[in-house]
Amino acid sequence: MTTTSVRTPHADVLRDRDVMSERITVQPRKQGVGLRREDACRVGAMRRIAAARLRHCGLEALSDEVTLVVSELVTNALLHSGTAEVGVTMAIQDGFLTITVTDGMSGAAVPGLADGDAESGRGLDIVEYVVKEHGGAWGTCEAGAETWCRFALPEEASR
């Protein structure tokens, strides 16, 4: 017989606090040139770090959705900003987990218009759907240098 344990969020999850603050450096991408393999691997590393931080806080319930959103937003920053550094922060405030991806470059993130055969262009639509399903929202600030999203904390974390 197997048992499944559900981890209770740490008591300090209920209070406002930083969960994660990480930066990656990458080779600035030139228009029309794909991501370097090393830079693409950094997206996966950021996803794994985010999942580990959620586990540490007892917020595994958000892990799949948050890692998907982190992956989409970091990839978007790498593909469209031309930046050499991307930062990811996660913080708990007012009953929400807020994720902020900073690339330091102007130009607001906007959903693409992908046709049925396109291999890309749906990332921000996915982000919008996922965060709305979790009682949140997304947007940009600082002239597009930051893209953020908010997830409502699961009920067991809000008690």
Side-chain angles (χ1 to χ4, degrees):
M1 178 172 151
T2 59
T3 60
T4 305
S5 69
V6 176
R7 188 160 177 228
T8 303
H10 293 183
D12 61 355
V13 167
L14 302 176
R15 296 188 296 271
D16 295 350
R17 68 185 216 119
D18 290 337
V19 174
M20 176 179 132
S21 182
E22 298 288 334
R23 293 198 155 316
I24 57 171
T25 56
V26 294
Q27 182 70 38
R29 184 174 165 270
K30 293 181 173 69
Q31 189 73 14
V33 177
L35 285 180
R36 295 180 327 142
R37 178 176 164 76
E38 302 87 43
D39 296 338
C41 288
R42 286 178 175 81
V43 176
M46 192 63 75
R47 200 173 41 240
R48 289 186 297 279
I49 293 167
R53 296 302 300 160
L54 291 171
R55 278 191 308 276
H56 176 74
C57 293
L59 293 173
E60 296 93 349
L62 291 175
S63 188
D64 289 343
E65 293 83 354
V66 167
T67 56
L68 172 64
V69 166
V70 165
S71 183
E72 292 294 340
L73 294 181
V74 171
T75 299
N76 199 53
L78 293 176
L79 288 175
H80 302 294
S81 71
T83 191
E85 184 176 82
V86 175
V88 179
T89 60
M90 292 192 308
I92 295 170
Q93 187 174 20
D94 301 327
F96 286 89
L97 174 69
T98 301
I99 302 164
T100 305
V101 175
T102 306
D103 61 32
M105 307 297 276
S106 62
V110 293
L113 297 173
D115 65 25
D117 295 332
E119 293 182 12
S120 65
R122 295 178 185 85
L124 292 176
D125 289 330
I126 292 168
V127 168
E128 182 171 21
Y129 176 80
V130 169
V131 297
K132 281 186 176 180
E133 283 293 307
H134 288 274
W138 78 278
T140 61
C141 54
E142 294 190 23
E146 291 182 358
T147 303
W148 58 268
C149 65
R150 295 171 21 129
F151 286 86
L153 291 178
E155 284 196 28
E156 62 271 9
S158 298
R159 290 184 202 148

